[in-house]
Amino acid sequence: MKFPTKTTRGGVVAAVAALALVLAGCSSSDDDTDAGATAGGGDDGMATEANLDIVFLPKNLGNAYFDTSNAGGADAIAEFGGSYSEVGPQEASPDAQVSYINTATQQGVGALVVSANDPAAICDALNEARDAGVKVVTFDSDTNPECRDLFINQATAEGIARIQVDLIAEQIGDAGQVAVLSASANATNQNAWIEMMEEMLAADHPDIELVEVVYGDDDDQTSFDKTAALLQTYPDLKGIISPTTVGVSAAARYLSTSEYKGQVMLTGLGTPNQMRAYVEDGTVEAFALWNPADLGYLAAYAAKALIEGDITGAEGDTFEAGDLGSYTVGADATVLLGDPYVFDADNIGDFDF
Ligand code: RAM
């Protein structure tokens, strides 16, 4: 029950996200950015000395998950009087983020907050940014640890894998063929979760057969088409796990008007707003996620703490993250947000993001 009660933020996600979106919109205006910096300057002039110019770089633009996480980041940055901006590619391909990293380096921003499409492809660009004095925080999907200062992890890979395995096993009666519809083939986060799900299925669910992992590239149409192809290829398919908000909502849309609705079970990681209709019409029983707004909010405060020299990313470093309270850096310069949370017909009405 940590998700809705960890902070008041979980209960007022709609209001916070809406506010953050407004603030994000405002941050493109110099006047408003200056006003924010002046207000933040009440903190002993810190905002004028430290470079709190923080750039969020999602896997791709147009993904509702990142709209929410980055709105959380904008919310935090407005609170501490920094300047928020977001840049990113249209497609979640391995090196599509490199040019945005290089531009941020040239602009001399204070920090980059990045969800990586590939563990290695952006490493050199990130290290050039760090050499130039930019703090690099990954969130959601990590690069290799030597290419960033800190990784803000939404939940442990074990926890994220376990919840999806438990959900699909329960929904298909612990037996039969399942497939995975993932994001892009190189995504660090999805690949870590899938590897763990494979191990858990093999160890604990001998009657479930994982027949294939396919990739929808975090693109709605590709994910929709890959769902159709899976159902054609595997007529006995009992379930689909889609550990991506883009994939699971596209798969739900396909299933909802197909003959497979209610026959082939679907779970994974989704946003309540994208999945609500499919829970209500019986296509989907339950799925999981964390609070993306809190993730972006925490990443922004971590970037601030790095910029201001409060932390270096060493294990045991602690920092304050506004409404979320105090966090401690763990092994491998990783900070953990919390636990994943399950959404179903009973609770989905409580969430708006
Ligand atoms: C998609 C992205 C993101 C992932 C979520 C669950 O939005 O792939 O990286 O964390 O799904």
Side-chain angles (χ1 to χ4, degrees):
M1 286 302 120
K2 235 180 179 174
F3 180 86
T5 55
K6 182 171 172 52
T7 71
T8 53
R9 296 172 52 74
V12 290
V13 166
V16 170
L19 174 65
L21 282 170
V22 170
L23 293 169
C26 289
S27 72
S28 59
S29 141
D30 284 339
D31 287 354
D32 288 338
T33 305
D34 290 348
T38 308
D43 302 341
D44 330 299
M46 192 57 97
T48 49
E49 284 167 28
N51 178 1
L52 294 176
D53 202 350
I54 299 175
V55 177
F56 272 64
L57 175 50
K59 284 180 172 176
N60 56 347
L61 298 180
N63 177 342
Y65 169 86
F66 289 113
D67 290 345
T68 303
S69 66
N70 296 2
D75 184 24
I77 292 165
E79 277 176 14
F80 59 70
S83 168
Y84 164 86
S85 56
E86 181 193 50
V87 294
Q90 296 300 325
E91 291 182 1
S93 56
D95 54 9
Q97 294 166 308
V98 169
S99 64
Y100 297 94
I101 297 166
N102 292 341
T103 300
T105 305
Q106 282 154 16
Q107 290 170 338
V109 304
L112 267 165
V113 179
V114 185
S115 172
N117 282 310
D118 181 290
I122 60 173
C123 181
D124 288 349
L126 291 178
N127 277 332
E128 280 165 27
R130 294 168 78 199
D131 288 346
V134 179
K135 299 299 179 190
V136 172
V137 175
T138 50
F139 78 134
D140 177 69
S141 180
D142 201 8
T143 180
N144 289 328
E146 64 274 16
C147 323
R148 44 73 171 163
D149 295 298
L150 211 55
F151 171 48
I152 311 300
N153 196 3
Q154 46 269 56
T156 64
E158 273 109 322
I160 296 170
R162 173 65 65 197
I163 210 154
Q164 294 177 88
V165 166
D166 286 353
L167 285 169
I168 202 71
E170 195 180 313
Q171 292 170 12
I172 66 170
D174 209 8
Q177 293 183 341
V178 299
V180 170
L181 169 65
S182 188
S184 59
N186 293 0
T188 326
N189 53 347
Q190 273 88 13
N191 285 346
W193 304 332
I194 292 167
E195 195 182 318
M196 293 223 160
M197 290 196 283
E198 284 170 343
E199 285 170 19
M200 289 170 183
L201 286 170
D204 307 330
H205 301 277
D207 296 330
I208 297 181
E209 181 195 0
L210 175 56
V211 289
E212 196 177 346
V213 178
V214 297
Y215 300 92
D217 295 334
D218 267 351
D219 175 74
D220 177 72
Q221 189 61 48
T222 310
S223 304
F224 188 85
D225 295 344
K226 291 285 169 93
T227 305
L230 274 177
L231 292 162
Q232 274 211 325
T233 310
Y234 302 100
D236 294 330
L237 198 67
K238 290 279 181 300
I240 298 173
I241 305 172
S242 186
T244 142
T245 58
V246 180
V248 77
S249 58
R253 192 170 82 252
Y254 184 87
L255 286 174
S256 68
T257 59
S258 79
E259 62 190 289
Y260 306 102
K261 177 180 167 185
Q263 306 298 314
V264 175
M265 306 312 293
L266 170 67
T267 193
L269 304 174
T271 68
N273 284 355
Q274 287 177 298
M275 298 300 285
R276 189 174 341 272
Y278 308 116
V279 170
E280 285 171 357
D281 77 3
T283 304
V284 171
E285 277 182 13
F287 62 95
L289 199 68
W290 42 90
N291 185 335
D294 280 355
L295 184 67
Y297 184 91
L298 177 57
Y301 268 98
K304 172 183 186 279
L306 285 165
I307 291 168
E308 293 182 340
D310 293 342
I311 61 172
T312 60
E315 190 168 355
D317 275 357
T318 61
F319 63 100
E320 290 300 319
D323 293 348
L324 290 175
S326 176
Y327 279 79
T328 301
V329 177
D332 300 322
T334 293
V335 176
L336 190 63
L337 175 68
D339 296 315
Y341 185 79
V342 174
F343 302 89
D344 59 20
D346 291 339
N347 66 18
I348 197 162
D350 299 340
F351 299 93
D352 186 7
F353 66 89

